[in-house]
Amino acid sequence: MHRQRYSSAVIKNFLAHQTATKKLLATNDAVTKNKAYCDVFINHRGIDTKKTLATLLYDHLSRRKLKPFLDNKNMKPGDKLFDHIDNAIRNCKVGIAVFSLNYCKSYFCLHELALFTESKKKVVPIFCDVKPSQLSVTDNGNVPKKDLRRFESALEEAKCTVGLTFDSLEGNWLDVVNSA
């Protein structure tokens, strides 16, 4: 099992970057207010679902003439990671959260989920190889308490939202993609 840990310095740097980003986005909001950046933002844990469900969703939505956002498809070298992702979430029409076994171990997945709820975006949860009851935020000591509360609140809201469940060993990938 691959466990990704972030040092407190990385998280503090990220939080400082978020403050600067908010100022920049306030300026950009006037420009993008009337134009949706993307129709659907696909929130996922890359090591679990990027090469499978997340990419299938992206391709399916693209063929339907929608503008989905998937980090490895929409970002170019040199793009500011958090500026780009946070801006996409704030300006998308709907989010799809693909929950998987390692989803809650990612600070960034939970940050994106919290941003969805704080932005009052509709989120369609897909529980891939995991039951909603198995999802929980764990405090490893590196995440500020304020963020833990944001993450827990967003996760509880998603767990109480009607979503799709998918078992990758027995399910049909096309069925879940079409249903989403």
Side-chain angles (χ1 to χ4, degrees):
M1 174 193 277
H2 173 73
R3 290 192 74 160
Q4 191 169 2
R5 293 184 173 245
Y6 297 98
S7 70
S8 58
V10 169
I11 293 173
K12 285 179 185 174
N13 185 32
F14 169 74
L15 295 173
H17 181 75
Q18 287 298 92
T19 302
T21 299
K22 286 178 184 175
K23 291 177 184 175
L24 176 65
L25 289 177
T27 303
N28 289 344
D29 279 347
V31 175
T32 59
K33 197 167 242 175
N34 296 323
K35 179 181 166 192
Y37 185 81
C38 65
D39 295 310
V40 182
F41 186 98
I42 303 169
N43 165 254
H44 68 290
R45 182 66 194 261
I47 60 173
D48 291 339
T49 61
K50 187 179 298 291
K51 293 182 180 179
T52 54
L53 188 53
T55 299
L56 287 170
L57 280 166
Y58 178 89
D59 291 342
H60 181 76
L61 294 167
S62 295
R63 281 192 303 277
R64 292 185 171 267
K65 307 292 186 223
L66 293 170
K67 293 185 291 185
F69 183 96
L70 186 62
D71 53 1
N72 68 326
K73 302 279 189 180
N74 295 82
M75 296 180 65
K76 303 177 298 281
D79 283 346
K80 300 289 185 198
L81 182 66
F82 302 109
D83 292 348
H84 210 73
I85 287 174
D86 289 3
N87 195 31
I89 290 171
R90 285 188 181 98
N91 291 293
C92 74
K93 295 176 182 174
V94 66
I96 295 177
V98 181
F99 294 101
S100 57
L101 291 174
N102 293 300
Y103 182 95
C104 290
K105 294 176 185 173
S106 169
Y107 178 92
F108 303 103
C109 286
L110 293 168
H111 166 73
E112 292 170 9
L113 182 64
L115 196 54
F116 278 136
T117 60
E118 293 161 358
S119 301
K120 308 282 190 245
K121 301 293 179 182
K122 179 178 182 174
V123 177
V124 177
I126 299 176
F127 301 98
C128 183
D129 296 328
V130 67
K131 295 176 183 172
S133 61
Q134 294 174 288
L135 298 171
S136 65
V137 177
T138 55
D139 183 2
N140 61 9
N142 290 332
V143 180
K145 296 287 184 207
K146 180 179 89 174
D147 284 339
L148 282 174
R149 286 190 297 276
R150 289 176 58 231
F151 299 166
E152 289 166 349
S153 174
L155 187 59
E156 286 307 311
E157 186 173 324
K159 288 166 57 173
C160 293
T161 302
V162 175
L164 303 169
T165 58
F166 181 68
D167 179 343
S168 64
L169 296 177
E170 296 183 20
N172 182 323
W173 292 97
L174 188 55
D175 288 345
V176 75
V177 168
N178 284 330
S179 295

